[in-house]
Amino acid sequence: MHNNRLIPVFLLCAGVCVCDVKAMDLSLNQAVEKIVAESHDIKKADANLKKAQASLDVANSSRWFNIEGTATYMNLVNVEKPLDSYNVKLPPEIGGLIPQLAGIDKIDVPDNIFMAGVTITQPIYTFGKIGNAVDSVRNAIKLSEYSKEMVAREVKYAASDMYWTAKMTDEIVVLAKKNLDDAVAAKKKLTGAGRANRSNLVKIESDIATKEINLSDAEFNRDTAHRMLKILAGIDVDEPLNLTDDFPNSFSDIKNEKLKNTPEWQVLSQQVKMYEAKSASQRANGYPTLAAMASYNYTTMDTDFKNLFNERDSQSAYWGLALKVPIFSGGVNRANATVDAMNAEAARQDLDKSKKITAEKYSNAISQYNHLRDNLKGLENARNLAAKAYKFSQDRFAAGQTSAVELADVSAGLYQLDMALLNAKYKILMSAESVKKLGE
């Protein structure tokens, strides 16, 4: 008995907990910001930009002087007697030539040798080899920046599409529920008035069953759209959402002006410049290179490793100019220059094609926006008239002056116009987003 009393209390508490769960408010701008922050495509574009910026440091490094240091230690080995020190036999005639060596038949050669040196090379003139390579990388950086902007626009467009799709499924659920509630109310009036003939009752029962399916489908589509929106925005899938932005009742005019620029054109334009600079750099590989050189060397040797740095050391240094002239490379420089030149030509053709197609898409997006916007008033008027017709049918049905068949037909017409009006607003919004995505 005691346990049975606890069950209703537990259920009541559980019900309170469920009711206290507050949905997360999410506006269009917040959704776009979250989806942009979570986008893998934008993160990838950002990584490509950083890679291009690092490549500029690599290209610029060829402009500056290069310093190389070397340090070498050698021990000469007496091949005949490896354990003995290395020596050289002297012929007797040496004593006559060099008095200090008279009577000496062999001398010990220092077998411990240490050498260290530093060499500096500074390019002076490369006939555009380095300069064009640097320009090519700079154009690649700009290309990456415009590519990132293009990706960001695509992501923002997709985010807006996802948000308004989810919002539309919310509205469809409301419409489907109202449509079902009206049918249930009509059934109650029919049975409550005591005039429920079999034909009307069967028709209204069929209408209710159909609208229950419509509501179930609408709820399923809503849950699916909300789940996808939460995944893309990095929101917990179990977090309920309240989409705070509503479909506008009016839309501003967009002038159909000529498209002047777009990130896609900027990307292709930078591709042309990048490949042209690369081609010039490859061609310059066949030209001479003038560089300044300087070197310092230190050498010391001794028969005893312990005395290596005490005696017999020497220093030398030099500086000068060096002209490196490529004589034959098998045509590789010309071939590479041709490859990049053809890549530039291909990018130029893509740019010309894009200017025609993208400009047409931009113009069509504005035309579609204004066309749908102009038709909106007519659609709203048709919907309002259908709502009045449905109200008249409800009143006539309540008075027993019309059948359930006519009421269901008028209800279906109103529902279809509600859906058409909602879909028209969605298309107007997405047309405006297309204009933003393609325009400057």
Side-chain angles (χ1 to χ4, degrees), residues 51-63 134 137:
K51 181 175 69 175
Q53 290 170 341
S55 298
L56 180 61
D57 294 335
V58 175
N60 271 323
S61 65
S62 301
R63 293 180 181 273
V134 172
V137 176

Side-chain angles (χ1 to χ4, degrees), residues 180 182-188 202-214:
L180 175 60
D182 289 344
V184 172
K187 178 185 176 182
K188 289 181 179 179
V202 169
K203 173 57 182 173
I204 212 162
E205 287 285 359
S206 173
D207 196 33
I208 290 174
T210 301
K211 292 177 178 179
E212 285 176 342
I213 294 173
N214 290 341

